[in-house]
Amino acid sequence: MENWSLFSLCVLLGLTSRWAVSFHSYSGAGKPPMFGDYEAQRHWQEVTYNLPVHEWYFNTTNNDLNYWGLDYPPLTAYHSLVCAYVAKLLNPEWVELHASRGYESHSHKLFMRATVLFTDILIYIPAVLLYCFYFCDGFSKQKVATALCILLYPGLILIDYGHFQYNSVSLGLALWGILGLGLGWDLFGSLAFTLALNYKQMELYHSLPFFCYLLGKCIKQGLIGRGFFQLAKISLTVLVTFALCWMPFLSDPKQPLQVLHRLFPFGRGLFEDKVANTWCSLNVLIKIKTLLSRETQLFLSFALTLLFILPSSLKLLSKPNLWQFKLALVNSSLAFFLFSFQVHEKSILLAAFMLPLLVKDGLLLPYVVTSLAFLFLSLYLLSHLTRTNEPLFWYFPFLVISVATFVWLEPPAKFPDLFPVLVSILSFLHFLGFIIYFNLVQLMEPQRKKSQKKTN
Amino acid sequence: TVMAAPVTNDQSWFFALALGVSFLKCLLINAYHSTDFEVHRNWLALTHSLPAAQWYYEATSEWTLDYPPLFAWFEYGLSHIARFFDKEMLVVQNLNYASPATILFQRLSVIVADVVFFYAVKECCKCLREDKGKDLLGKPSFILTVLLLWNFGLLIVDHIHFQYNGFLFGVLLLSIARHFQNRHFEGALLFSILLNLKHIYLYIAPAYGIYLLRCFCFTQSNADGSLQWRSFSVVRLVTLGTIVLSTFSVSFGPFIGQLPQVLSRLFPFKRGLCHAYWAPNIWALYNIADKNHLIVCSYYERVKFKLLDINKLPKASMTGGLVQEFQHSVLPSVSPLATLICTVLSILPALFRIWHRPNGARGFLRCLVICALGSFMFGWHVHEKAILMAILPLSLLAVESREDARIFLILSITGHYSLFPLLFTTQELPIKIFLMLLFTIFSLTSLKTLFRKGGALLNPLEATYLLGLIPLELICEFVYPLTVWQKTFPFLPLMLTSVYCALGVTYAFIRLYISLLTCSDSTKKIKTQ
């Protein structure tokens, strides 16, 4: 069968699963007064449509920052504005200032889900297809299998179409950035990644590899001459993109400061809720949250993040090729996740350990189905195509058992949070193992096999 | 590229496909379900709460039991498991009860019952004549498995609209497979059971009857394929008869006293000629001819005489959703008897053909599809879901012969498209489009690759007709609702869909007939792979 038909079948399967998941409930459904992320997105449409730009990030009588204030960079705000215009066309009640708080209806849900699907089709899915087409080694069947696995990745589907977010935009733009760099279009890649960064500040996790890769490449080309020229062009692209995105906020020096203040809320603690990183896990043994002062916490997390990120970045700087770049992306994001400040579980987007969040949203059924399907499918396909006996097969029953335990057993009354915490700690240990493993791989460069490495 | 043999055994792909489609079905648990959901819940309730003697008299709900007794026993069995999900669904008075547990249970019962279908598909794959392919995606058995397991019509009718067709078609396909494997007694038994599960399969009973009589009771044929009267085996006839009669007696036995009541429930002829959403059959075209005349006449009359109020002219209920008597205004009205005669006439040539020159099991299958299609085309109160009875068995023939593949493509694409009006909610719109594209792209490309020798599979006219479905869908579902006419003529998109699809279905019917009547003996049959 021809490639195009196989790829389109993968896309259609991915789209069907996405839309089928969207039938289920969303974050904060029917839970006044605060509701959830869904209401946050709707609220941002309301705010950006009705209020002038200079009020978006400020606490005014019309804009109560305590009720889901904007805390993503300007591109998200512009996206919400565009959605709001469409919403106004369909039903003005959806974005009425103040009056539309907590608005919930079937048609509104369809509209919101449709906006996610639209941006997915526009940005994320083409990026995945191009990535698999150009950057996967192996037969065309392997490329198609990879595309299928990525498109069916439950974490993204569940967060975007279940819980409700727009991660496909930022991840898609970042993927376009990676594509650009891979094809040698450095300017395009930088542009795409800068846009991703301006959509969600979480993309900072990936920023250091991008920086080191490009810098390393320029250095390799010679800092005097072509390399310098290239560096200048890239820097200019990045600065101009930033300027364009932040233009409405540059008129008054207070504006960008406030935006930054919203984006990086150092006022909040080291972590919130149960997240599978070092601080949360450590907190079980030593109560660091209360033991150390906020400044010390900040310094500690900064230092450790830097420590874990430095080896990989320096290696990339010295050897700027694509394989190093991909590994550095993994290492960098893991390091940030494990050690930085105010991390949310969503930052990891890893299916099996998102359970606590999704059960809260009433998304247990789609979660179980998509995760099992994904695990089964990727194990099946990859073991067939790489012809190895994946030791990961034992993982499958292990995860099933842990999921079952979490769902059906009641935790002892003394420790009501026992299971979420256990899951977090378990995941944390996994991630710690991953970061050590991937760092070793990147630094030591063992003999690379012909088979394709799945690193992203 | 040639791929080396996969690490795991050869049959793992079947398991992967089956599991994959089951996962998809699980994701659709929360989708829209039609009144058929309540129908089955009601049957669960009444079989559970009432003694068997009252099952066919019970009329608290409007959805009375109108399937044969074996299906009622099936529901009875299910109701015992339903107890553990939600006891309230088993109370007959709880009309339209649809708690999350109820939905979960009913959906899961359909998904689990599909195991029968999986087994049947596996058996059908074994009956394929040739199963060699360069790689997995080109193997006829793989293509057949996907065409059956991932059949678009079955997915949306069973797992969204809500019915138990997967399980029933599993029994049918298994019976067909048994006949292919020359295990005729089992095939006959399975078919009798099927008839007692859902009597709509009476449509294809003539094919079974003639085939079994001709090929099984007459044990031998002459060299040229004609009948050898002396090879009649009374033993076989009697055994077959015993099997059929005993199945029916087990099924209807407990209800022997109320037979008229049961039959009146099973065959409610009070319903109209056409179901609410017109099935794309001959009567749709007939209605259009009638309606056109009516529309033209009434407009003329209104303009000319300004007398006749359009509401005074008799016309059918076009606003969908209800089933009523249909009086044709200009052309002669059609009665149930007339449709029966038309149906019988349409399938008679095929039956004669397999009597005269049976082509073995494949000829039987072709005749079966023709019977199903003929009854669909001319039958009384046909539901467009019935097109599946022709599409699914035809899949078997489609992976073996070029001409059948072409007929299958036309029939399945138009047949599946005609099912679109079943899912009319906005939420399900993307799903039905994605799944339809999925199945269509797969069937087109895989069959094209299978029969790549010998030019294009579809000629330009056929391809244009099929492509015309895209603008039709855009108009009916996107453009039309935004126009003024949506209020005055809300039935127009449905009518357009039915008529357009009726053309394709009729074309497929004719071609299928031609291929049956002109195909030579199985020994001399040209292999087209």
Side-chain angles (χ1 to χ4, degrees), chain A residues 67-336:
Chain A
Y67 186 77
W68 301 113
L70 260 175
D71 52 7
Y72 281 136
L75 217 55
T76 301
Y78 302 146
H79 180 211
S80 299
L81 184 62
V82 171
C83 290
Y85 273 109
V86 180
K88 190 85 182 178
L89 272 176
L90 294 172
N91 184 349
E93 280 181 43
W94 294 345
V95 285
E96 254 340 295
L97 190 59
H98 299 315
S100 62
R101 273 213 190 169
Y103 190 96
E104 287 184 299
S105 83
H106 187 71
S107 44
H108 185 236
K109 180 180 171 197
L110 273 180
F111 165 70
M112 297 290 273
R113 297 291 196 204
T115 56
V116 184
L117 188 71
F118 182 71
T119 52
D120 217 344
I121 295 178
L122 208 62
I123 301 179
Y124 182 70
I125 292 185
V128 172
L129 289 177
L130 285 174
Y131 177 81
C132 290
F133 202 64
Y134 283 114
F135 294 114
C136 288
D137 345 291
F139 303 118
S140 53
K141 294 278 170 12
Q142 282 180 304
K143 297 189 189 192
V144 173
T146 316
L148 190 60
C149 284
I150 299 181
L151 286 174
L152 288 183
Y153 183 60
L156 190 60
I157 298 181
L158 287 167
I159 295 296
D160 274 14
Y161 289 85
H163 184 84
F164 203 89
Q165 278 212 338
Y166 289 98
N167 290 304
S168 56
V169 179
S170 55
L171 283 177
L173 285 170
L175 198 53
W176 279 109
I178 298 174
L179 263 174
L181 295 194
L183 288 169
W185 304 338
D186 291 344
L187 292 182
F188 173 75
S190 326
L191 171 71
F193 184 70
T194 317
L195 287 176
L197 202 52
N198 277 306
Y199 193 86
K200 274 206 169 133
Q201 68 273 36
M202 221 164 72
E203 286 299 322
L204 273 175
Y205 288 16
H206 294 145
S207 55
L208 213 55
F210 269 86
F211 177 72
C212 293
Y213 175 78
L214 288 169
L215 187 61
K217 224 173 132 188
C218 292
I219 293 178
K220 269 247 150 57
Q221 286 177 341
L223 258 182
I224 323 153
R226 274 188 61 212
F228 180 74
F229 208 46
Q230 184 74 349
L231 193 60
K233 278 199 286 187
I234 295 174
S235 320
L236 197 64
T237 318
V238 172
L239 286 170
V240 168
T241 319
F242 262 102
L244 284 174
C245 288
W246 288 66
M247 199 149 66
F249 302 97
L250 293 177
S251 52
D252 178 11
K254 264 201 305 183
Q255 286 281 338
L257 281 177
Q258 173 67 357
V259 178
L260 285 175
H261 182 73
R262 291 294 303 166
L263 295 185
F264 302 103
F266 289 120
R268 290 146 103 183
L270 193 55
F271 63 86
E272 265 174 38
D273 230 343
K274 310 286 170 298
V275 64
N277 77 352
T278 333
W279 309 124
C280 182
S281 312
L282 211 54
N283 205 39
V284 178
L285 299 170
I286 340 164
K287 295 269 172 267
I288 5 169
K289 236 178 160 177
T290 44
L291 213 61
L292 304 167
S293 73
R294 199 152 59 82
E295 284 77 30
T296 332
Q297 290 173 0
L298 260 169
F299 176 71
L300 204 59
S301 78
F302 182 70
L304 275 172
T305 313
L306 203 63
L307 179 67
F308 269 81
I309 235 189
L310 225 44
S312 136
S313 312
L314 289 175
K315 178 76 189 216
L316 179 59
L317 203 58
S318 67
K319 264 198 182 183
N321 63 44
L322 273 173
W323 185 75
Q324 287 281 333
F325 176 57
K326 288 196 242 184
L327 278 175
L329 283 170
V330 176
N331 284 322
S332 166
S333 34
L334 274 175
F336 268 98

Side-chain angles (χ1 to χ4, degrees), chain A residues 3 73 162 169 266 364 366 423 426 438 444:
Chain A
N3 260 353
V169 179
F266 289 120
L364 185 63
V423 170
L426 212 63
F438 281 120
M444 296 193 327

